[in-house]
Amino acid sequence: MAIIWCSCGDGWPDGPSYYTTVGGGVEPDDADLEAALRREVMEEIGATIGPAAEFLTVTEPGEKVTVVQHYFRADVLDMDLGRRNGPEMEDPDVGDFSPIRVALDVSAVEALELQPIELADYLRAHVTSWGA
């Protein structure tokens, strides 16, 4: 069965719960976006992944900073939650980063409060073809 890995976030303190994919920033030691992706996947869900293909880019312009989010599709080769080591794991104020499996079908994606909305919209439109 094909799956999407999501991390459940409790939102900011006193905020609503939501789901999102593994993510984070590019650090100085990361050779490129894919290296950052692989590091974040290990930090947040303790997994190694196969070849990655970018499928969506979301740009959020701000007054001082523009955030560009790159979304990749990859197979999870192995996962061990004991290998998680990201800084967010030790900060209770940023939410609960418990990975969940989500089936690659529209009803499963629609059942989540998936953020950002551009990702949710894209997955609803394309997830059926991914499961083929």
Side-chain angles (χ1 to χ4, degrees):
M1 174 177 84
I3 56 174
I4 299 170
W5 283 103
C6 295
S7 295
C8 172
D10 282 337
W12 300 108
D14 300 320
S17 293
Y18 65 92
Y19 294 85
T20 190
T21 59
V22 169
V26 177
E27 295 183 0
D29 291 342
D30 295 328
D32 54 24
L33 287 174
E34 188 170 331
L37 167 69
R38 292 178 184 285
R39 178 184 47 74
E40 290 288 351
V41 167
M42 181 57 71
E43 286 180 1
E44 293 185 18
I45 65 172
T48 56
I49 57 173
E54 187 171 354
F55 64 87
L56 178 65
T57 302
V58 176
T59 302
E60 297 177 10
E63 287 184 32
K64 296 181 180 182
V65 176
T66 296
V67 175
V68 180
Q69 299 176 24
H70 301 269
Y71 293 92
F72 293 84
R73 178 179 172 190
D75 290 330
V76 174
L77 302 178
D78 64 71
M79 187 175 90
D80 177 351
L81 295 179
R83 297 188 303 202
R84 299 188 318 167
N85 61 1
E88 56 276 342
M89 299 302 133
E90 298 174 15
D91 186 351
D93 290 334
V94 298
D96 172 20
F97 288 88
S98 299
I100 62 164
R101 293 178 186 230
V102 180
L104 278 177
D105 66 61
V106 174
S107 62
V109 172
E110 287 179 342
L112 300 175
E113 182 61 40
L114 189 59
Q115 297 295 324
I117 193 67
E118 295 89 349
L119 174 63
D121 290 345
Y122 184 94
L123 290 179
R124 278 192 294 274
H126 295 90
V127 74
T128 302
S129 65
W130 284 9

